[in-house]
Amino acid sequence: RLIRNVRKAYPYAILASVKLKEYDAILNNMPENKRAPYLRKAEKELKEQFESDLKNLTMTQGRILIRLINRETGMTTYKVIKDYRGGFSAFLWQSLGLLWGNNLKWTYDPTQGEDRLIEGIIQQIQDGEV
């Protein structure tokens, strides 16, 4: 089950990392007054492209995705939301996540617990074994 769940969530974590780097590069060269409209447009495009896929993730796959986003970006999912959507939005999503047993502030530690198993699966995926 864990292999299936990691295989489902891992591509989205890689994509999140790529998109965040892309948005950072664009936003760094953009005047302050044009950032908010750009982010709204980008969010709309991402929702159209990925919302249905992400809604179909199971709770376990969502938990794994939260950790993998931290692994790929170096930031917690909470910090990503806070940086791009604001503190209030991050607080709301964190509160909602906690109601369902998720924590957007989870970090990834490849040396302990389930994260250690996930790291092994990712290595197998990267080596083409899984």
Side-chain angles (χ1 to χ4, degrees):
R1 286 185 196 168
L2 186 60
I3 292 172
R4 179 191 54 188
N5 290 334
V6 171
R7 287 183 70 195
K8 180 91 175 193
Y10 186 56
Y12 294 113
I14 293 171
L15 182 66
S17 175
V18 169
K19 288 291 190 181
L20 285 174
K21 288 176 187 171
E22 177 184 317
Y23 292 145
D24 280 342
I26 292 169
L27 291 172
N28 286 337
N29 298 322
M30 186 177 287
E32 191 71 36
N33 62 340
K34 296 189 179 199
R35 288 181 183 191
Y38 175 78
L39 286 173
R40 281 193 293 272
K41 180 182 173 200
E43 181 181 356
K44 183 179 177 185
E45 290 172 1
L46 288 173
K47 274 188 179 179
E48 288 173 2
Q49 192 173 4
F50 299 107
E51 184 175 29
S52 62
D53 293 339
L54 293 176
K55 279 187 174 182
N56 288 330
L57 293 178
T58 65
M59 295 287 285
T60 304
Q61 291 166 350
R63 287 185 187 118
I64 291 170
L65 180 59
I66 289 169
R67 288 189 174 120
L68 290 178
I69 287 174
N70 179 247
R71 177 187 188 267
E72 295 298 317
T73 65
M75 298 187 298
T76 64
T77 308
Y78 179 85
K79 180 159 177 28
V80 171
I81 295 170
K82 186 176 179 183
D83 289 350
Y84 289 93
R85 298 280 314 269
F88 183 72
S89 183
F91 170 77
L92 288 176
W93 284 109
Q94 172 69 352
S95 300
L96 186 62
L98 289 173
L99 281 174
W100 294 99
N102 288 319
N103 184 352
L104 299 180
K105 295 180 182 179
W106 274 330
T107 57
Y108 183 80
D109 181 4
T111 62
Q112 296 182 354
E114 186 181 36
D115 292 350
R116 186 175 178 184
L117 297 173
I118 292 171
E119 187 66 24
I121 294 168
I122 290 171
Q123 293 303 321
Q124 290 176 347
I125 290 171
Q126 291 173 343
D127 293 343
E129 296 173 12
V130 175

